[in-house]
Amino acid sequence: VDEYGTQSSTSEWSLSSMSESESNSGKGAGYYMTVQGLLLLYEMVAIGGTAFLWIVFGRTASRKVQQQFIDSVTYAPTSFFDTTPLGRLISRFSNDFNRMDFALPMTIQFACNQTVTFVSVVVIISLGDWWMCLLLVPLVAFYYWRQRRYRRTIIQVRRIEGLSRSPMYVHFDNTLSGLACIRAYRCVPRFRDEFRACIDENARVFQSLFLTSQWFSQRLDCLGGLTQGLTVLSLVAAKATGHLDIGYTAL
């Protein structure tokens, strides 16, 4: 048999073996393409539905909260405006509503995605090595303890940051209202220094807020690295003892 005959016979044997294996399993290329297409369709529907619900419920919540806040301020007694700085009200109507309309929905969506990812990863790992579930219990407890400690701190820091932002709005509004008198009495340098002092105070608190977030982020990275290391060691040990398939270990 010549070279071309040998290659053709080899290819015919491989094709016949593939067709025989497909006929034995009953799952050809069309089956896998159908499954892949259904998965892509499900992903498109899930993403579109999530975005639609995010827009609808986000607008509804924002409208209700804003209406309640406007009604509360409108029907508030005069003593409320005598004791509450104007800058604090401006901060509530501007920065706080901006966080509620944009930052909060994105954070909730990110938290939901991470929760689904975490559950799927835990299920996959537990199917291969159920001993990892025992190791995850103290790690989850440690995560929860860190989260509670961080939450108590970040709430107070954000409250102080909001209070330090209020004097900036008040000072800037008062400066614009009395700009003619300020220039007439040549008090521009004094008002400029006072406004810079307000900005410095807010920047100092904002830096504390940023450092607190970075502190929590570094702890989460360390715990995530520890979790991955324990997972890899557990899978390697299970593969060394022959209790786990190498394909599942790679997955």
Side-chain angles (χ1 to χ4, degrees):
V1 182
D2 59 355
E3 181 180 0
Y4 298 98
T6 304
Q7 289 183 355
S8 61
S9 61
T10 305
S11 60
E12 289 176 359
W13 175 82
S14 61
L15 291 175
S16 61
S17 61
M18 290 175 61
S19 61
E20 183 179 357
S21 62
E22 290 179 357
S23 61
N24 293 333
S25 61
K27 299 178 181 179
Y31 170 80
Y32 295 104
M33 292 177 66
T34 303
V35 172
Q36 181 71 16
L38 292 176
L39 290 176
L40 291 176
L41 179 62
Y42 167 74
E43 184 178 3
M44 292 172 59
V45 173
I47 294 176
T50 302
F52 178 76
L53 293 177
W54 177 26
I55 294 174
V56 172
F57 288 106
R59 289 187 58 188
T60 304
S62 177
R63 189 186 307 113
K64 288 183 178 181
V65 173
Q66 289 183 10
Q67 188 62 40
Q68 292 177 2
F69 190 78
I70 292 174
D71 293 341
S72 300
V73 174
T74 304
Y75 294 102
T78 308
S79 59
F80 172 78
F81 297 97
D82 293 337
T83 57
T84 304
L86 179 62
R88 192 172 301 176
L89 295 178
I90 297 176
S91 177
R92 294 294 181 270
F93 275 104
S94 58
N95 187 69
D96 291 352
F97 279 149
N98 179 61
R99 290 181 178 178
M100 184 184 65
D101 293 338
F102 295 99
L104 188 59
M106 294 180 64
T107 303
I108 294 176
Q109 184 180 12
F110 179 76
C112 293
N113 294 337
Q114 293 300 313
T115 302
V116 173
T117 303
F118 172 75
V119 172
S120 61
V121 169
V122 170
V123 170
I124 292 176
I125 293 176
S126 60
L127 290 177
D129 188 8
W130 63 273
W131 287 99
M132 276 300 302
C133 296
L134 300 179
L135 296 177
L136 287 176
V137 173
L139 288 175
V140 170
F142 193 66
Y143 269 107
Y144 180 72
W145 174 69
R146 283 292 185 181
Q147 181 264 345
R148 290 195 60 183
R149 184 180 180 185
Y150 166 76
R151 188 163 177 256
R152 287 196 300 265
T153 305
I154 200 67
I155 288 176
Q156 298 300 325
V157 175
R158 284 193 178 277
R159 182 182 62 83
I160 297 174
E161 194 270 335
L163 294 177
S164 66
R165 196 186 320 111
S166 175
M168 289 194 308
Y169 296 146
V170 174
H171 192 278
F172 189 74
D173 182 71
N174 294 336
T175 303
L176 292 180
S177 301
L179 191 59
C181 297
I182 294 174
R183 290 177 176 175
Y185 287 96
R186 298 179 181 179
C187 297
V188 174
R190 180 169 66 87
F191 275 79
R192 185 189 297 117
D193 295 338
E194 291 177 356
F195 187 67
R196 287 178 178 175
C198 295
I199 294 178
D200 292 340
E201 180 66 20
N202 180 256
R204 184 180 63 85
V205 180
F206 186 80
Q207 175 139 5
S208 300
L209 178 65
F210 175 76
L211 293 177
T212 305
S213 302
Q214 291 300 313
W215 176 89
F216 186 64
S217 177
Q218 289 182 0
R219 267 63 180 178
L220 289 184
D221 291 340
C222 293
L223 289 176
L226 178 62
T227 305
Q228 293 180 2
L230 292 176
T231 303
V232 172
L233 291 177
S234 176
L235 293 176
V236 170
K239 179 61 182 67
T241 55
H243 297 291
L244 190 62
D245 183 71
I246 188 170
Y248 198 89
T249 304
L251 174 63

